[in-house]
Amino acid sequence: MQKQSFESVPIPPRSPPTDYFNINPPDEIHPALRPSVTTVPVTPGVDSTGESSYMASPEPGSAQHPQWNPSSYFAPPENAKSPDSPTKYASNARNPADLLRRLSLVESDRPVTSDPDPKTAYPNLKLSGGLISVAFCIPHALEFQTGREWEIKSRRGTSALFDSFSHLSSPESPWNHTLVGWTGEIKPGDHLPSPPASPPHSISTVKESLNKLVSIPLNKASAPIPLDGSTRPALPHPHAEGLRITKSDRERLEKQLARDCDSKTVPVWLVDDFEEETGDALLKNQARWRRYGEHNLYTLFHYKQHEPTDGRAERKWWADYCRMNQLFADRILEIYTPGDIIWIHDYHLLLLPNLLRQRLPNIYIGFFLHIPFPSSEFLRCLSARKEILTGVLGANMIGFQSYSYSRHFSSCCTRILGFDSSSAGVDAYGAHVAVDVFPIGIDAAAISRIAYGDEGIEAKIARIRQQYTGQKIIVGRDRLDTVRGVAQKLEAFEMFLERYPQWREKVVLIQVTSPTSVEEEEEDSGHKISNKVSDLVSKINGQYGGLEYTPVFHFPQYLSRDEYFALLRVADVGLITSVRDGMNTTSLEYVVCQKDNHGPLILSEFSGTAGSLSNAIHINPWDLGGVARAINDALTMTPEAKASQHAKLYQHVTTNTVQVWSSNYLKRLITNLTSFDQSIATPALDKAKLLTRYRHAKKRLFMFDYDGTLTPIVKDPQAAIPSDRVIRTIKTLASDPRNAVWIISGRDQGFLDEWMGHISELGLSAEHGSFIRQPKSEDWENLTEKTDMSWQKDVMEIFQHYTERTQGSFIERKRIALTWHFRRADPEYGAFQAKECKKHLENTVAKKWDVEVMNGKANLEVRPTFVNKGVIATRLVNEYGHDVGQPPEFVLCLGDDFTDEDMFRALRASTLPLSNVFSVTVGASSKQTLASWHLLEPADVISSIALLNGSANADDLGMVAAADDR
């Protein structure tokens, strides 16, 4: 299809256009018209393939290396240095007007203030000053030719994200910035390598050889193949089996990226095959690395579901996704220095934070998602939902474009993973992961400079206005994705013309749609979207148009830079009807380009920009009548109202730029890091020291919690049965006569008897110390036998009241305590009801009786105040005696929740030497606890106990060797 331009529209007729681009330039060309400027891409939006969503790809033979700073659209002449002061900016002004123009550029090119040095501002974090940004693709499109220099071109669609990378690499930034990203799909160069040197075959020789070949039948059914003897057979394409990139070629690219690009860029090589002997990398199916992210995640995150399949393809894509994230982790750790901050971007790398956290537990990680995050009802449809959430929770802070997306994420962590969450973040594995909102911006100064500083754009504006004289122009600029709402926009415009006939022949809609960049949309073999849009355009033009009036001009093509900004400047109304969108930067650029015209912006409430641009006209794209009404309101708005509305929008866009966005994110990340004092981090259990003290001790006391310590937490308390390994490990430990092993649990007597009672050497304590069963005994001792239990009646009535009103909750009646469980209830509603129930109990029962109300893990428990695990821990220690040689020489106490803190507190208050006591909490090192050590999960607990039994796994062999040395 031949590309159209606004000048080629046939109505109304006009004289042939003047060619503004073939005029001989004067000796001193205007800076905005230099070829180095006019070939620079603008940043309209994020495009995952690297092709521009708004402009056509560069022609072959264009400049290879981007020599400009992406934050500046005016490239400096060769060997020129940017002025570093207003005086130098003004020194070469030719006239007063030029002087004012130069001074107007000072603020945009050089920020007034710089961020402080993070190393000196936050000494406790021991920052290195290094910042590693991780994006799916680097900002450069690569072309490869064997044995030659790589062609490095600016990746079309350089997004606001890439502009932020440029800012972070600039002298104004205090960070030592490095960008890590995939090379993207590497294209073979235009000049194919020459075939191997050999004597050229004549046509007759080729003909003779081929005739001999086809004269020999392969079987009886085969027949000779007729050949045109005058045609030379085509040589096989040198890259038919993929691109082969040698080690020297890869090293050459890395040197070029370091030499020719504005920021330090480290490429990630995603290869299909790797030859160990030669070091060659083979690239075959380069699109495979996008597939899971763009086919499964992108669509689901935009509230689209696929038809069910057998899952074979998804499993392959998921394997590629996991492998890709692992390769990113490997590459990052090659350049990582302790104290660096890692900032990871977008949905292709959701597993990366946890992969890095597993290998470096104390690493500083930030993550930002640039697309929407769905509600839990949609995320549940993803088979890898838990892996995705767990992966991103490896970050210290997670950022989103809008509050609704952050709320959805926190809700998913609660409903799917069972973690406690709030508007401030998620408590995952004992650590707090901050969740916050950071609406991204654009480089407003650069956009303004190019949109208003180019004479070519002024010429385009004049010609567009001449083309549509006497008509209001509504502008739409979208990719042809289903989530962009182009079809809804056209349907709403049709309804507008139907309901407001007075605007017919007075309003035109110019809709520009570029091809989609998302692989999922590209697989639309039936072209359903494009066909629907074309049908709607034809329908509207056929019903309301004529020979002298066309209501809708649809341009299914890329726009040149001049056309794009000319269109935004000349528009009377901007119309964005996304049905689901992240941050729509077109709306931000429209506001900047309307600083003279003050055209209203109609913006979908489903766009991530809607929350930031509160002064735009918000619409529901599914409400066609409402959109039609909004169009009429925008067209009839008074000049004063338009100016007032635009002033507020313009103030927001020019204040909240992409530079401010990146700075604010990093400041907030560091604030969250400093809010946790690293000096009080609970160290990981020193297993070598543990084993050494264990071997030297003759009197050993073990006190273990059950749920969350020996077994993982599960939704159904009755399903938390110990595994065979747990039972064997505990039984082996208790069989040693030098060991006194106790399980001190909140469980009742029946449960402990059923699952642990057969181990005769084991001591048991039920209901947080209310009952105990001595080793080698079957009788339980009731420590609360003389306690008045009349309070249970009042508590049962209150619990029953909330159980009837909370679906999925139930009451567990123990001998001493009463527990209300809401693990099976809706997590958010259950937590809310528990809060209300606790308040009710504290205002009634707790004031009347000597009881305490305790929050557990998805439960609420009421028990007498004198009953706790600390009392049992003190009793067990005291039973040994206090004289010389009587107290235990080794104590290991393990627990995971706040009820176990009573045991840790009791051990701290005891007279036992601290070197003999190992109090260990199960959870993250950041967990606030009285314990001296930590283990991450119940599996680590069992491994540590097995180590004492002499059953060390491969990971603990080093600990055994260290203990032997001691």
Side-chain angles (χ1 to χ4, degrees):
M1 177 179 177
Q2 186 177 1
K3 179 179 176 179
Q4 291 182 309
S5 67
F6 298 111
E7 288 76 21
S8 64
V9 179
I11 300 174
R14 61 178 183 274
S15 58
T18 304
D19 191 346
Y20 288 91
F21 303 98
N22 292 326
I23 299 176
N24 294 326
D27 294 337
E28 191 167 4
I29 191 170
H30 189 282
L33 296 179
R34 291 175 183 153
S36 60
V37 174
T38 58
T39 58
V40 179
V42 187
T43 306
V46 178
D47 191 301
S48 57
T49 65
E51 297 298 327
S52 171
S53 300
Y54 303 97
M55 290 163 254
S57 300
E59 297 296 330
S62 59
Q64 294 182 2
H65 307 302
Q67 301 294 335
W68 60 88
N69 183 333
S71 290
S72 172
Y73 285 87
F74 289 90
E78 292 185 6
N79 303 321
K81 295 183 178 180
S82 300
D84 55 6
S85 70
T87 303
K88 293 184 179 180
Y89 265 93
S91 60
N92 297 320
R94 296 187 297 272
N95 50 54
D98 188 34
L99 173 62
L100 292 175
R101 184 190 64 80
R102 288 170 178 267
L103 290 176
S104 69
L105 303 180
V106 176
E107 182 179 356
S108 59
D109 284 349
R110 297 187 62 83
V112 177
T113 59
S114 298
D115 293 331
D117 182 2
K119 291 189 294 183
T120 57
Y122 306 95
N124 291 338
L125 292 180
K126 299 179 181 179
L127 296 174
S128 65
L131 173 64
I132 302 176
S133 294
V134 189
F136 179 54
C137 290
I138 61 175
H140 313 291
L142 305 177
E143 288 190 8
F144 170 70
Q145 298 179 30
T146 305
R148 300 188 183 185
E149 288 287 292
W150 290 75
E151 285 196 48
I152 304 177
K153 302 179 180 179
S154 177
R155 185 178 290 277
R156 291 294 191 175
T158 306
S159 67
L161 172 63
F162 293 156
D163 289 341
S164 74
F165 295 157
S166 177
H167 165 68
L168 293 171
S169 301
S170 69
E172 287 79 13
S173 171
W175 297 98
N176 178 18
H177 182 250
T178 302
L179 173 61
V180 175
W182 178 38
T183 58
E185 286 89 344
I186 299 174
K187 299 179 181 179
D190 296 334
H191 306 287
L192 297 177
S194 303
S198 59
H201 295 285
S202 64
I203 294 178
S204 60
T205 305
V206 174
K207 178 179 179 181
E208 181 179 353
S209 300
L210 291 175
N211 284 339
K212 288 180 180 180
L213 178 64
V214 300
S215 63
I216 303 174
L218 299 177
N219 53 56
K220 293 182 180 180
S222 65
I225 303 173
L227 296 174
D228 182 359
S230 63
T231 303
R232 183 173 179 175
L235 293 173
H237 194 282
H239 303 302
E241 297 183 358
L243 284 175
R244 181 176 295 275
I245 303 177
T246 65
K247 183 178 180 181
S248 60
D249 288 328
R250 299 196 298 274
E251 292 175 348
R252 188 184 308 115
L253 173 63
E254 294 180 16
K255 291 179 181 178
Q256 283 184 250
L257 290 175
R259 182 182 70 240
D260 299 331
C261 302
D262 293 319
S263 60
K264 181 181 178 182
T265 304
V266 177
V268 177
W269 297 95
L270 304 179
V271 302
D272 294 271
D273 197 9
F274 186 81
E275 295 184 0
E276 295 290 343
E277 296 181 0
T278 63
D280 292 354
L282 189 63
L283 308 181
K284 297 179 181 178
N285 180 14
Q286 298 186 66
R288 63 187 284 192
W289 309 110
R290 298 181 180 276
R291 199 145 292 150
Y292 186 83
E294 296 181 4
H295 184 276
N296 291 63
L297 296 179
Y298 181 88
T299 52
L300 187 75
F301 281 25
H302 286 83
Y303 290 78
K304 293 174 59 183
Q305 286 183 268
H306 297 292
E307 294 294 328
T309 64
D310 60 8
R312 297 179 186 176
E314 283 79 3
R315 285 192 290 272
K316 289 179 59 178
W317 300 342
W318 172 249
D320 288 338
Y321 187 80
C322 295
R323 183 187 172 199
M324 177 188 71
N325 278 262
Q326 188 62 61
L327 291 172
F328 265 85
D330 295 341
R331 190 62 159 147
I332 291 168
L333 294 180
E334 289 176 7
I335 63 172
Y336 172 78
T337 301
D340 287 353
I341 287 180
I342 313 295
W343 189 3
I344 303 170
H345 294 269
D346 229 2
Y347 62 97
H348 292 95
L349 303 173
L350 289 169
L351 302 181
L352 184 55
N354 194 43
L355 291 175
L356 293 172
R357 180 72 61 196
Q358 289 175 354
R359 297 167 72 171
L360 291 175
N362 296 321
I363 194 172
Y364 301 143
I365 303 176
F367 183 89
F368 190 85
L369 185 68
H370 292 261
I371 63 172
F373 195 90
S375 68
S376 60
E377 298 303 318
F378 265 82
L379 193 68
R380 282 173 175 171
C381 301
L382 191 67
S383 58
R385 57 195 183 181
K386 291 186 176 180
E387 291 82 354
I388 292 296
L389 291 175
T390 303
V392 74
L393 283 173
N396 296 100
M397 186 177 79
I398 304 169
F400 295 91
Q401 298 279 17
S402 74
Y403 173 72
S404 62
Y405 304 157
S406 68
R407 181 170 52 83
H408 289 164
F409 175 79
S410 298
S411 176
C412 286
C413 291
T414 299
R415 295 173 182 274
I416 296 175
L417 298 180
F419 294 146
D420 292 335
S421 65
S422 66
S423 58
V426 180
D427 294 323
Y429 308 109
H432 181 75
V433 181
V435 176
D436 218 327
V437 179
F438 303 90
I440 198 170
I442 59 173
D443 192 345
I447 297 296
S448 179
R449 185 166 60 246
I450 190 172
Y452 286 90
D454 194 330
E455 293 180 0
I457 293 178
E458 299 293 341
K460 292 281 185 183
I461 291 173
R463 296 175 64 180
I464 294 174
R465 283 175 175 163
Q466 178 186 1
Q467 181 74 38
Y468 303 100
T469 302
Q471 294 176 328
K472 297 288 186 179
I473 301 176
I474 302 174
V475 168
R477 164 57 273 180
D478 307 276
R479 287 203 305 263
L480 199 57
D481 298 345
T482 53
V483 298
R484 303 298 173 180
V486 179
Q488 286 83 351
K489 182 185 303 184
L490 292 170
E491 290 170 345
F493 185 69
E494 178 185 12
M495 184 170 290
F496 164 75
L497 294 176
E498 176 187 346
R499 293 188 176 182
Y500 302 94
Q502 67 272 23
W503 285 110
R504 297 175 190 174
E505 301 187 7
K506 296 180 181 179
V507 175
V508 294
L509 170 62
I510 299 178
Q511 175 62 43
V512 182
T513 54
S514 59
T516 181
S517 62
V518 181
E519 185 181 27
E520 162 66 14
E521 301 285 358
E522 290 175 350
E523 294 177 0
D524 179 23
S525 57
H527 304 290
K528 297 177 182 177
I529 308 170
S530 58
N531 288 343
K532 183 175 183 179
V533 169
S534 298
D535 291 344
L536 285 169
V537 171
S538 300
K539 178 183 176 184
I540 296 171
N541 289 339
Q543 186 171 355
Y544 298 103
L547 294 177
E548 297 181 355
Y549 171 63
T550 302
V552 180
F553 290 92
H554 179 218
F555 297 90
Q557 62 190 52
Y558 292 105
L559 287 184
S560 69
R561 184 206 63 185
D562 289 356
E563 286 179 328
Y564 176 68
F565 283 112
L567 188 59
L568 293 186
R569 283 187 57 186
V570 79
D572 294 290
V573 176
L575 183 56
I576 297 174
T577 56
S578 308
V579 296
R580 190 67 58 179
D581 203 358
M583 186 55 63
N584 191 303
T585 53
T586 303
S587 59
L588 306 178
E589 289 163 341
Y590 175 81
V591 171
V592 173
C593 291
Q594 284 289 316
K595 68 178 182 180
D596 292 336
N597 199 30
H598 303 159
L601 172 64
I602 301 176
L603 183 61
S604 168
E605 63 186 44
F606 295 106
S607 170
T609 327
S612 303
L613 303 181
S614 57
N615 289 284
I617 302 174
H618 291 182
I619 50 95
N620 177 359
W622 302 103
D623 179 11
L624 303 183
V627 179
R629 184 167 55 255
I631 295 173
N632 180 67
D633 292 343
L635 292 172
T636 57
M637 189 178 294
T638 64
E640 293 77 13
K642 289 195 295 183
S644 174
Q645 185 183 81
H646 181 268
K648 297 173 184 176
L649 293 172
Y650 189 80
Q651 173 67 19
H652 175 85
V653 173
T654 54
T655 302
N656 298 277
T657 62
V658 70
Q659 293 87 348
V660 172
W661 169 77
S662 58
S663 178
N664 286 346
Y665 182 93
L666 292 170
K667 288 178 182 177
R668 199 82 58 84
L669 173 60
I670 293 176
T671 300
N672 279 286
L673 293 174
T674 54
S675 64
F676 168 64
D677 187 355
Q678 300 295 317
S679 63
I680 64 171
T682 307
L685 177 62
D686 187 340
K687 294 183 181 180
K689 182 178 179 181
L690 177 76
L691 183 58
T692 301
R693 299 300 303 175
Y694 176 81
R695 287 176 173 178
H696 288 107
K698 296 181 179 179
K699 295 181 180 180
R700 308 163 182 151
L701 174 61
F702 297 87
M703 294 178 284
F704 302 144
D705 175 40
Y706 183 79
D707 290 287
T709 302
L710 297 179
T711 61
I713 296 293
V714 294
K715 280 195 171 185
D716 185 357
Q718 297 305 315
I721 59 177
S723 65
D724 291 339
R725 187 189 181 205
V726 170
I727 293 176
R728 287 196 309 269
T729 303
I730 296 297
K731 188 172 184 177
T732 302
L733 186 70
S735 64
D736 190 326
R738 293 171 292 181
N739 297 343
V741 185
W742 285 79
I743 292 180
I744 306 175
S745 172
R747 294 283 187 165
D748 60 21
Q749 302 155 266
F751 183 91
L752 294 179
D753 264 335
E754 180 180 0
W755 296 107
M756 292 292 182
H758 63 284
I759 305 176
S760 60
E761 301 87 354
L762 187 64
L764 301 175
S765 174
E767 297 191 32
H768 302 292
S770 299
F771 300 88
I772 62 171
R773 196 196 80 169
Q774 296 288 344
K776 298 182 180 181
S777 171
E778 295 183 357
D779 299 326
W780 287 87
E781 178 184 354
N782 186 355
L783 302 182
T784 61
E785 188 173 2
K786 297 180 180 180
T787 305
D788 185 1
M789 306 300 292
S790 302
W791 55 269
Q792 288 192 341
K793 180 181 177 182
D794 296 342
V795 173
M796 277 297 295
E797 291 178 356
I798 296 175
F799 276 174
Q800 190 63 39
H801 172 83
Y802 284 92
T803 301
E804 293 171 356
R805 288 158 178 78
T806 310
Q807 184 178 6
S809 65
F810 61 94
I811 302 171
E812 180 185 6
R813 184 160 193 167
K814 305 175 184 178
R815 291 283 299 275
I816 299 299
L818 291 176
T819 306
W820 184 68
H821 294 274
F822 57 92
R823 287 181 191 172
R824 300 175 186 171
D826 179 273
E828 294 179 354
Y829 185 64
F832 171 78
Q833 289 289 78
K835 204 174 289 184
E836 294 296 312
C837 182
K838 182 179 182 181
K839 190 186 303 180
H840 192 172
L841 289 167
E842 289 175 341
N843 291 333
T844 54
V845 179
K847 290 182 178 180
K848 182 179 178 182
W849 303 93
D850 190 17
V851 297
E852 61 179 338
V853 184
M854 301 187 305
N855 282 314
K857 291 185 176 178
N859 67 62
L860 202 62
E861 183 165 290
V862 182
R863 68 183 185 187
T865 53
F866 64 87
V867 175
N868 64 69
K869 295 182 179 181
V871 174
I872 296 299
T874 301
R875 172 174 171 167
L876 294 177
V877 170
N878 291 339
E879 284 179 351
Y880 279 86
H882 298 283
D883 295 337
V884 176
Q886 289 183 340
E889 300 169 356
F890 174 91
V891 177
L892 176 60
C893 182
L894 286 154
D896 72 306
D897 65 14
F898 74 97
T899 63
D900 302 309
E901 296 295 318
D902 292 329
M903 291 194 293
F904 304 149
R905 186 179 295 106
L907 291 175
R908 281 179 175 266
S910 70
T911 58
L912 296 174
L914 294 178
S915 59
N916 293 349
V917 178
F918 292 84
S919 56
V920 185
T921 187
V922 181
S925 62
S926 57
K927 187 177 182 179
Q928 300 296 315
T929 179
L930 294 173
S932 302
W933 309 91
H934 89 278
L935 290 169
L936 284 177
E937 56 186 357
D940 297 328
V941 171
I942 302 305
S943 297
S944 299
I945 299 174
L947 175 66
L948 303 181
N949 290 336
S951 303
N953 56 29
D955 295 334
D956 291 332
L957 291 178
M959 306 299 175
V960 176
D964 291 339
D965 293 340
R966 296 180 184 181

